[in-house]
Every structure is written in structure tokens, then in C-alpha cells.
Amino acid sequence: MHGPKDSPHSTDSPRLADLASLIRLPAALSVPGDILAGAVAGGGTPRPRIAATMASSVALYWAGMALNDYADATIDAVERPERPIPSGRVARRTALATACGLTAAGLGLAALAGGRQALGVALPLTGLVWAYDLRLKSTPAGAAAMAGARALNVLAGAEPGRRGAAVPAALVVGAHTYTVTALSRHEVSGAPRAVPAATLAGSTATALAAAALPGLRRGGRAARVGAAVGALGYLASYGTAQARAAREPSAANVRQAVGTGIMSLMPLQAALTAGGGGAGLAGVLAVAHPLARRLARKVSPT
């Protein structure tokens, strides 16, 4: 793939802080909850392999962030000159090497976690991430590709024989991701008012679906209450940001809504996890959400 050369000021020995910015370090806190939600939705409890599965998904997420900046170097030089590559803090070739290394690590960890069966999810997930960053991002298929990647991430958490039961939870996470990706296309120039209004309607439906799923699994009262609380927390956070963007769809408000949407995945995951009977695990996600938001103020998740 041809692209711009590195800036003459680029460095092959970037600071850790610059690499953290490249891979959007805090945003990875939104990834382990996918695995928990998938494990619980699949009717099981997290097993020792879950830690390796989480690490695999985090590595693949970070790989996608590094690859995103590698692919967008020309555009970012104009629209986001403060980003690590156009600012010269990270060499473009270093971003590609980081993406390749993290991809290899992610696939290796998936193989360690579950062998061929785990790779059956990790490989198509990797394919979607690379296809999105290199080809699909600016096409009509872009948002669907990213939604599919997050849905596969949820399925990665379920035991191979129970993945069918985790499909509803995966679809909920995928629907949320679709709205965030659709908004992200307007981070630089602002959006038509109809865009955040439409994504707000979509995330409202997503919250309702997350709260309703326990009934489909004959969950008890605690599951239903936990799912409802998580869904409300999700909508209060992400919905409020989208409503602000719908009133004033400036680039700043849209960017804020996208960042909030990335982190608001955690209360949505908590809703799905509680709904599947994992109240304690849902509580961990709920407690981690404010911490993730504070970290996101230091390193942008978008």
C-alpha cells in the first residue's frame, strides 16, 4: 500500500506516552467486557482461558488503532496534525510494525486460549479490523464492518459449543458500535443534525434490547434489575452526549459523543453481563467505567 513518507522529524524510538496515544491506550478498557458478556450470555462462567482471550482481544484492538493511524497518515496531516504520526512523534513505519506485532500477539494469545476453535473467531475478527482500516472505513460498508468486529469479540468470550446463545448479546454490542462508527465520520467537520438524532434513536433501541434480553433467558429478578440499571447508565452517558450533538452538531460535540460512546460500552456490557446472571462481574464493569472515563481525559480514545 502506497502512502506518505515519514515526516523528517519522525522518530523510530517514540516515547511510551506517544505509543499510548497511537494505540488509544484507555479505550482498550472497553474490550474485556465484551468477553465477559459473551461468556455469561453463552450460559457459562468465565474460565481460566478468559484472561488469555481478553488479552488477545485487547492486542487486536490496539493493533487496529495503530493501523488506523498508519492508513490515515495523509488525511491526519491535514485534519489531525496533532496525532502521533503527522506530528512526528511516531514514525509511520513504526505504526505499521506496531500493528503487525500486536496482531501476531493477539492471534497467538487466541491460539493459547482455545486453539483452533478460538482462532475460528479471532481470524475473521482480525480480517475485519484490517479490512476496515485499509479499505472499508470510508465506504458504506465501514460501519457494518466495525460492528461485526465487536460482535465477534463478544462471541470470542463464549465457549465454542455455546456461541449461539451469545448471539443476541453480540448483536446488541454490534448495534452500539455501528452508531459510534457512524458518528465518528463527522468528528472533524461536524455532522448534519439528522446523524446524531438517528444514532440516538439507535442507542435508545440498543438500551431497550439490553434490558429485555434477560427475559428471553428466563433471568431472575436480580438479573432483570441489573440489566435495567446498566442500560439506564449506558443511555444516560451516551444518550446525553448524542442529544447534545443533535442540538448543536459541531465537530467538538460530535467528537465528544464518539469518545463517550466508546467508553459507554462498559455500562452496556454490564447490562448484558448482569442479565446473563453475572451480577458480580457486572459490578466490576460498572465500577471500572468512571476510571476509564478519567483515563480517557488524559489519552483520547478517538
Side-chain angles (χ1 to χ4, degrees), residues 33-194:
D34 285 348
I35 308 302
L36 287 180
V40 173
T45 55
R47 302 180 180 226
R49 74 170 189 86
I50 288 294
T53 303
M54 287 179 178
S56 169
S57 292
V58 167
L60 293 176
Y61 186 94
W62 281 339
M65 294 297 100
L67 187 64
N68 173 81
D69 279 18
Y70 166 81
D72 285 356
T74 301
I75 297 172
D76 286 346
V78 177
E79 297 182 345
R80 300 278 190 90
E82 75 282 359
R83 278 187 167 175
I85 294 175
S87 68
R89 290 178 289 132
V90 176
R92 189 167 182 255
R93 57 183 172 270
T94 300
L96 179 59
T98 300
C100 291
L102 286 168
T103 296
L107 292 175
L109 286 165
L112 180 66
R116 190 176 304 172
Q117 291 177 318
L119 286 172
V121 176
L123 283 170
L125 169 57
T126 300
L128 279 176
V129 169
W130 278 72
Y132 173 82
D133 281 334
L134 298 182
R135 295 291 180 191
L136 300 178
K137 185 185 307 178
S138 59
T139 73
M146 190 51 58
R150 277 318 274 246
L152 284 172
N153 208 38
V154 175
L155 295 181
E159 292 294 322
R162 297 174 175 174
R163 284 175 182 153
V167 167
L171 291 175
V172 168
V173 170
H176 164 76
T177 305
Y178 190 99
T179 67
V180 176
T181 308
L183 275 175
S184 71
R185 295 186 173 189
H186 304 277
E187 288 184 277
V188 174
S189 58
R193 188 169 277 104

Side-chain angles (χ1 to χ4, degrees), residues 196 200 203-204 233-245 247 260 264:
L200 176 57
S203 57
T204 301
Y234 160 75
L235 200 55
S237 177
Y238 186 33
T240 298
Q242 290 174 98
R244 186 182 305 114
R247 288 193 301 271
T260 301
S264 293

Side-chain angles (χ1 to χ4, degrees), residues 5-11 88:
K5 296 180 179 179
D6 288 323
S7 162
H9 304 294
S10 298
T11 174

Side-chain angles (χ1 to χ4, degrees), residues 216-277:
L216 300 177
R217 295 192 295 271
R218 293 178 298 178
R221 177 181 173 83
R224 291 193 294 272
V225 171
V229 170
L232 285 173
Y234 160 75
L235 200 55
S237 177
Y238 186 33
T240 298
Q242 290 174 98
R244 186 182 305 114
R247 288 193 301 271
E248 177 51 56
S250 65
N253 284 343
V254 171
R255 200 155 45 242
Q256 177 66 33
V258 171
T260 301
I262 292 170
M263 292 307 176
S264 293
L265 186 52
M266 297 176 75
L268 182 64
Q269 293 161 341
L272 295 170
T273 303

